[in-house]
Amino acid sequence: MILTDAQLRDFDEQGYLFLPGCFTAEEVGILRDEARRIYASDRPEVWRETSGAPRTAFAAHTYNEAFRILGRHPRLIGPVEQLFGEKLYMHQFKVNAKAAFDGEVWQWHQDYGTWARDDGMPEPRAMNIAVFLDEVMPINGPLMLIPKSHRQGVLPAGHDTRTTSYPLWTLDHDTVTRLAAEGGIVAPTGKPGGVLMFHGNLVHGSAGNITPYGRTIVYLTLCAVSNHIRKPTRPEWIAHRDFTPIEPLSDDALAQYARKREERTAA
Ligand code: SIN
Ligand code: MN
């Protein structure tokens, strides 16, 4: 997948791009099934909300075949490689549940703030590209973004280790109020299979989910290889140390895997 000039301009101005319908129902279906299996397992990489509901599963591309394929999918690698103009490695990989009734808040933050402070990443030449596995609606804790905030550089932040089970460098109310007055707040919504990419410095967060509708989103954090992290402080499965350039698979790799799985189950 290659971005058009208009999409590149849009990304540059707004700091994000939403691309609906990038993955088919068959492709999303297998990922959703595998996410459920991972959440039901007892692994240190699966972090839970205070209720015990799953919050995020780290590094699923290292222990699950469907997510391994997604981590090398040309529809995700292509646009980010195009933007950075060089090969990429996987800095982080997470499957966020935002579970029905129990999914808790992600406070306002910039991802690069954490990658710089906790992992020693030199530049904001890494970004998230996210795949919606459930329908993301205005009511089930969609990701909220402050357009144009990626132009602010790294903003001062405090280390919040208490609000949720996941420590995060978060922004204060005055900063968020000022940025929202300038750029507004948007919450891209859409069917499963949509893809959202956003700049490492774009301010974002999400509210809790008290609806019966889960909101699973997979986030690949792709980093330019020359920008690899220098001073990691977090476990390997949160901030990866394998800087091998990703070689994309064929466009139908996930669909083929889904069909093979189906045949095996039917046999
Ligand atoms: C994140 O900011 O890394 C995740 C937020 C979310 O999934 O709502
Ligand atoms: Mn984030």
Side-chain angles (χ1 to χ4, degrees), residues 55-56 92 94-98 104-111 115 128 130 140-144 166 168 198 202 204-207 215-219 221:
R55 178 175 179 82
T56 188
Q92 188 175 79
K94 49 190 198 294
V95 190
N96 283 1
K98 190 72 80 175
E104 292 177 17
V105 64
W106 287 76
Q107 312 91 316
W108 290 107
H109 66 282
Q110 294 172 301
D111 286 336
W115 304 333
N128 279 336
N140 64 350
L143 196 66
M144 297 188 282
Y166 187 65
L168 204 59
F198 54 98
L202 196 78
H204 61 283
S206 59
R215 189 233 62 179
T216 315
I217 301 180
V218 190
Y219 295 86
T221 304

Side-chain angles (χ1 to χ4, degrees), residues 166-228:
Y166 187 65
L168 204 59
W169 288 92
T170 62
L171 305 179
D172 64 29
H173 293 179
D174 287 348
T175 307
V176 174
T177 305
R178 173 174 66 79
L179 296 173
E182 289 161 15
I185 297 179
V186 297
T189 54
K191 299 277 177 209
V195 165
L196 175 66
M197 56 196 287
F198 54 98
H199 192 283
N201 277 336
L202 196 78
V203 174
H204 61 283
S206 59
N209 183 11
I210 58 166
T211 75
Y213 315 115
R215 189 233 62 179
T216 315
I217 301 180
V218 190
Y219 295 86
L220 277 66
T221 304
L222 296 167
C223 184
V225 170
S226 66
N227 191 47
H228 67 83

